[in-house]
Amino acid sequence: HVAERLGAALFVTGRLVEIGGRLRVTAMMYDLSHVEPLARATAEGSANEMFEVVDRVAAELLAGRFPGTRGALAQVAANSSSSLPAAKAYFAAEQHIGNGRFSAAIDALRDAVRQDSGFALAYYRMSHAAELIGDDALARDAAATAVRTSQRLDDHYRRLLAAAAAR
């Protein structure tokens, strides 16, 4: 494998197809130690949206690295921000949260919302991380901002954010 020679633990394979000015990008991310893909992603768009389509696929692949409920939330996050740098910061924060580094998570989430001020799930996770370190003011402010910026989310997630803010 080329990935082994380069010292990469993860690698991506995929296809880019263009038909009549429309693109379809399909990709799978693998870990060298597994036969099955860790994540799969597909996105479509016009040929002049190529970079945006590739960014959507990249964000979905990154989200696929998280298990369980965090993974479901990461998938929604990947689709609710059009900024790959914001999504990457969000995923870095998820890794910090998973490792119990809540202050580092808050810093990464602040970076995410600097990149995309309407990234409601980043505010939601910031509220959660702030609550875990006992910063009640930040927890309240971030939860309220999550609700205010939740228009990109479906009804289920808007209600989830509203419930978290009410709590």
Side-chain angles (χ1 to χ4, degrees):
H1 272 112
V2 173
E4 282 180 294
R5 286 199 317 266
L6 295 174
L10 303 173
F11 65 96
V12 174
T13 64
R15 294 177 18 176
L16 174 94
V17 178
E18 187 264 332
I19 298 174
R22 298 285 303 163
L23 292 176
R24 180 179 179 90
V25 178
T26 305
M28 292 176 286
M29 182 172 55
Y30 293 88
D31 182 317
L32 286 176
S33 63
H34 294 89
V35 175
E36 292 298 314
L38 291 177
R40 299 171 197 262
T42 301
E44 297 182 11
S46 68
N48 39 339
E49 295 175 313
M50 181 178 76
F51 294 110
E52 292 85 354
V53 171
V54 170
D55 282 355
R56 284 197 307 271
V57 167
E60 281 191 43
L61 289 175
L62 289 170
R65 295 184 64 195
F66 297 98
T69 304
R70 286 175 57 216
L73 199 57
Q75 287 291 335
V76 174
N79 291 307
S80 70
S81 178
S82 60
S83 166
L84 182 57
K88 286 170 66 176
Y90 177 92
F91 301 136
E94 282 296 339
Q95 287 184 307
H96 290 311
I97 289 170
N99 293 322
R101 295 191 323 257
F102 306 118
S103 292
I106 291 169
D107 291 341
L109 291 162
R110 283 186 171 132
D111 186 37
V113 298
R114 268 194 297 276
Q115 301 286 336
D116 179 355
S117 62
F119 197 174
L121 287 179
Y123 287 111
Y124 168 71
R125 293 302 276 162
M126 185 186 303
S127 174
H128 178 71
E131 185 178 355
L132 291 170
I133 63 169
D135 187 338
D136 294 337
L138 178 58
R140 279 191 305 274
D141 290 347
T145 304
V147 171
R148 280 196 311 276
T149 58
S150 65
Q151 63 273 10
R152 294 183 205 160
L153 301 174
D154 68 22
D155 188 54
H156 169 77
Y157 285 98
R158 283 195 304 273
R159 285 183 293 159
L160 174 74
L161 272 53
R167 184 182 54 76

